[in-house]
Amino acid sequence: MNVSDKYRSNWESYWRETADGRGEAIWDADPALSAVPHSELLLPYADADRAIVDLGCGNGTQTRYLATRFARAVGVDLSHAAVEHARRAANGDPVEFQQLDLTDTDAVHALHERLGDAHVYMRAVIHQSEPEARPAVAAAVARIIGTHGRAFVVELTSGARDVLRRAASEPGGPGPKLQRVFHHGLKPADASGEEIPRLLGEAGLTVLADGETVLPQTEHLGDGTRIDLPAHWFVLAGA
């Protein structure tokens, strides 16, 4: 299956209306808070001489960091507008970006054929995917890593909904970055905590390590507290 036209258009409109520059998207955290600690969790299990694919790369902030830790980094995103953001931000850095629908099995297969077994970095993609698309997203992770690659997947837990509800119910309403997420029909923390490990297991992925964390956002509550969304991370191998 492929994602719905509405889902695709929501992401295109979001990225078209997002300005260039670090932190303009609410989830566009500094790599020091995301890809840096996540790489440290992945690298004990992963061969740095392999390529790594950043699934749902957005404007490529994390991908550009991953290119400094792995032999090759490729960022892919459903949105053409996001990929254009990423290419502009790369400014000649040795990193690749391409548009890719993770539910398009032929396109995912072609990416695997091009790179061989690669590592995957996926930050908070399953939780906002359409429910019927989530098994295909998990299957894409398994396809890309094959036998020798490893994956780092981090997804929001149900606790993130409470944080988002608090942010949305601030006296002045949600901040402008969170407001834009809602305005474009995006649905953060939509998957249940139990759904994620089930989907990963059904895709044939084996958990090598896992733990609790938060995904720092680039917006704050009215009292100045940064919005940190509770999450669970997994280091995964293929069957």
Side-chain angles (χ1 to χ4, degrees), residues 41-86:
L41 293 167
L42 173 61
L43 278 165
Y45 302 91
D47 177 3
D49 289 333
R50 290 186 181 276
I52 188 164
V53 185
D54 183 4
L55 304 184
C57 67
N59 62 355
T61 297
Q62 312 307 321
T63 326
R64 294 193 301 277
Y65 173 76
L66 294 170
T68 70
R69 303 301 303 272
F70 295 88
R72 182 179 183 183
V74 180
V76 302
D77 201 280
L78 174 68
S79 164
H80 287 280
V83 170
E84 289 307 311
H85 271 288

Side-chain angles (χ1 to χ4, degrees), residues 27 33 43 54 87 93 109 160 172 176 179 187 199-200 229:
W27 49 76
L33 301 172
L43 278 165
D54 183 4
R87 288 172 175 162
D93 287 348
H109 175 75
Q179 200 167 42
K187 296 180 178 180
L199 288 169
L200 297 174
L229 299 179

Side-chain angles (χ1 to χ4, degrees), residues 36-142:
V36 172
H38 297 163
S39 295
E40 294 304 319
L41 293 167
L42 173 61
L43 278 165
Y45 302 91
D47 177 3
D49 289 333
R50 290 186 181 276
I52 188 164
V53 185
D54 183 4
L55 304 184
C57 67
N59 62 355
T61 297
Q62 312 307 321
T63 326
R64 294 193 301 277
Y65 173 76
L66 294 170
T68 70
R69 303 301 303 272
F70 295 88
R72 182 179 183 183
V74 180
V76 302
D77 201 280
L78 174 68
S79 164
H80 287 280
V83 170
E84 289 307 311
H85 271 288
R87 288 172 175 162
R88 288 193 296 271
N91 196 28
D93 287 348
V95 61
E96 303 168 48
F97 296 101
Q98 73 171 78
Q99 190 276 337
L100 181 72
D101 177 353
L102 293 176
T103 69
D104 183 339
T105 54
D106 289 341
V108 171
H109 175 75
L111 179 66
H112 179 259
E113 286 291 297
R114 182 163 73 88
L115 299 177
D117 288 357
H119 305 310
V120 158
Y121 178 65
M122 189 169 75
R123 187 172 60 114
V125 172
I126 294 175
H127 79 90
Q128 51 73 27
S129 296
E130 294 171 303
E132 57 273 22
R134 291 171 192 158
V137 173
V141 174

